[in-house]
Amino acid sequence: MAPSVDSILTEKYPAKAHANRVAAYLKTKHHSVDGLIYLEGQKTHMIEDNDEPMPFRQRRYFYYLSGCALPDCSLTYDISAGKSTLFIPPIDPDDVIWSGLPLMKDEALNLFDFDEVRLTSDISSVLQSCKGTIWAIENQITDAAFFSGLDADKKDLSAVKEAIEECRVVKDDYEIALTKKANSISTIAHTAVLKAVKDASNERELEALFLQQCIANGSRHQAYGSIVASGTSAATLHYQKNYEPLKGKLNLLLDAGGEYNCYASDITRTFPINGAFSKESRHIYDVVLRMQKECEGMLRANVLWDDVHAHAHRVAIDGLLEIGILKGDKSEIFEARTSVAFFPHGLGHYLGMDTHDVGGHPNYADKDSMFRYLRVRGKLPAGSIITNEPGIYFCRFIIEPYLKDSKHSKYIDTDVLDRYWDVGGVRIEDNILITAHGSDNLTTAVKEVEEMEKLINA
């Protein structure tokens, strides 16, 4: 029987295993790899013209090799010896008055996966005594003067960043457990919003409820700013107002995910505010759900993400032809890229410590409008986590230029389209773990229409 999420998370974050992977990646790219990997965590920064610190968010490159979310720390990893060292700030007596005692060295050694814990006051001597190369990240080093004085063969300020980004794509069991935990907490919050939407009067009430449920269940931080978009606002992909009234609106698009120990969830659900989809809304929802399910069925190790994204467009075209919004030959519509008017974004992105996680190699200069905003290009490896988030939107700003272009307008029936503007937009998003022979959907928030409407009307 596989260990549970909670049992996996009783262990330490596997920082040394990550450091070993990064060092191994460096060795595949460079003839001689020795010396120290040196990374600095995020510093404490004060709010401008204020004596309060800014909200703290740990650097993800540092966290991947440390599992340490404390500010003002650093680490080294001796590549030849395989030895990892965490550096924590010394006690500041003045700060103890306000904030209490910080983590002690023995406590940090017990908490984090390191061979040694020292004070940050020791860093300078450690770096100066290094006989090999120091591998660091440019613009993430405090002592710029020291690094500028090093010979070129004694420093590398770019390779380790690439190495960490590539290694972060494939998740280990601990990282998968963190993502599952973030998803389970976010599902509680999504469910609470479903149950409350019918009696709510403003988007802000639902955002507040989502945040409350996340914090109460162990997710103090959000992976990204919540999107709580009612009515036609759902046509704005990254809507941020979250304060508009709900009265008279058809649907709510909730794109929100809590973060657990620096690992993100990213979940979107679209549902009827009054407890029952309108005919037009149900038409669009069913098409988007079909897009998502068919794409999920394609997912397995080494599938080309471009192909999955293209299939989503083909399913969208089929659905919009059935409804009557599109007309003509579906192959011609696909080649003309007319479906981009209704599905303008990529099908998904890698998910990890960042919502739009690293390693996807997007090509935002792609002249093909269907693939320009696809955040992952290439084949998906086993162990990667990707979002599957198709959508269909009715954004006048995006669609109206297509209506004025004869290349596209001949495929769009404006009389039918006019009945769908109030739908706004529908997006459904799950977080998918890619496996050797298929995939595992980590998101359990309900999305079948009957289940959603039952919760709303309970």
Side-chain angles (χ1 to χ4, degrees), residues 8-73:
I8 292 172
L9 296 181
T10 59
E11 304 296 327
K12 291 182 180 180
Y13 181 89
K16 277 200 71 176
H18 292 174
N20 290 335
R21 287 186 62 198
V22 170
Y25 181 91
L26 288 172
K27 290 174 183 177
T28 67
K29 299 292 183 179
H30 299 269
H31 296 300
S32 177
V33 177
D34 60 0
L36 296 174
I37 294 173
Y38 171 65
L39 298 177
E40 296 184 8
Q42 186 60 263
K43 309 301 183 189
T44 300
H45 295 288
M46 306 306 289
I47 298 172
E48 188 174 12
D49 299 325
N50 192 282
D51 63 356
E52 288 288 317
M54 294 178 65
F56 179 77
R57 185 179 190 272
Q58 186 58 283
R59 282 175 173 160
R60 272 27 186 175
Y61 298 96
F62 176 82
Y63 193 88
Y64 187 68
L65 267 65
S66 71
C68 175
L70 301 175
D72 306 310
C73 296

Side-chain angles (χ1 to χ4, degrees), residues 275-293:
F277 275 126
S278 69
K279 182 178 72 172
E280 289 79 12
S281 296
R282 180 64 187 264
H283 286 162
I284 300 304
Y285 191 89
D286 286 348
V287 174
V288 175
L289 188 59
R290 194 188 323 157
M291 293 164 70
Q292 195 198 43
K293 288 181 175 181

Side-chain angles (χ1 to χ4, degrees), residues 193-213:
V193 172
L194 269 173
K195 292 178 177 179
V197 66
K198 195 172 182 179
D199 295 321
S201 61
N202 194 287
E203 294 166 351
R204 60 174 170 256
E205 298 170 44
L206 302 175
E207 180 180 26
L209 177 60
F210 189 91
L211 295 173
Q212 184 271 332
Q213 288 289 306

Side-chain angles (χ1 to χ4, degrees), residues 205-398:
E205 298 170 44
L206 302 175
E207 180 180 26
L209 177 60
F210 189 91
L211 295 173
Q212 184 271 332
Q213 288 289 306
C214 283
I215 294 171
N217 287 283
S219 176
R220 186 169 182 82
H221 302 289
Q222 294 295 288
Y224 54 96
S226 298
I227 298 166
V228 189
S230 60
T232 57
S233 295
T236 300
L237 301 184
H238 287 173
Y239 174 78
Q240 290 291 293
K241 286 184 178 179
N242 297 354
Y243 55 68
E244 293 292 343
L246 303 179
K247 187 177 181 180
K249 313 284 184 62
L250 292 178
N251 308 311
L252 186 90
L253 186 154
L254 176 63
D255 184 340
E259 174 184 295
Y260 189 78
N261 288 0
C262 293
Y263 278 75
S265 62
D266 187 359
I267 304 170
T268 307
R269 294 292 183 262
T270 309
F271 42 88
I273 292 170
N274 70 358
F277 275 126
S278 69
K279 182 178 72 172
E280 289 79 12
S281 296
R282 180 64 187 264
H283 286 162
I284 300 304
Y285 191 89
D286 286 348
V287 174
V288 175
L289 188 59
R290 194 188 323 157
M291 293 164 70
Q292 195 198 43
K293 288 181 175 181
E294 289 198 20
C295 289
E296 184 175 343
M298 299 173 66
L299 298 180
R300 57 185 47 82
N302 297 316
V303 70
L304 184 65
W305 188 238
D306 291 45
D307 291 346
V308 186
H309 175 71
H311 184 73
H313 272 275
R314 290 190 172 94
V315 178
I317 291 167
D318 286 342
L320 293 174
L321 282 169
E322 291 170 11
I323 292 168
I325 293 174
L326 292 180
K327 58 186 179 179
D329 180 79
K330 64 181 180 181
S331 297
E332 292 180 6
I333 295 170
F334 181 86
E335 293 302 325
R337 302 311 198 229
T338 304
S339 57
V340 175
F342 303 95
F343 177 28
H345 61 78
L347 179 62
H349 49 81
Y350 282 141
L351 183 73
M353 285 186 281
D354 289 311
T355 306
H356 297 156
D357 213 28
V358 295
H361 305 290
N363 177 17
Y364 299 127
D366 197 327
K367 296 186 183 301
D368 190 330
S369 62
M370 185 173 286
F371 297 97
R372 182 176 303 142
Y373 298 118
L374 193 59
R375 296 181 187 273
V376 175
R377 305 299 294 268
K379 295 180 179 180
L380 306 183
S384 60
I385 298 177
I386 197 157
T387 63
N388 178 14
E389 50 177 307
I392 291 177
Y393 310 87
F394 298 93
C395 177
R396 291 183 184 273
F397 182 82
I398 295 174

Side-chain angles (χ1 to χ4, degrees), residues 417-431:
L417 174 62
D418 284 342
R419 302 202 300 267
Y420 285 83
W421 292 113
D422 286 344
V423 174
V426 172
R427 182 165 64 252
I428 309 170
E429 178 180 16
D430 293 341
N431 306 160

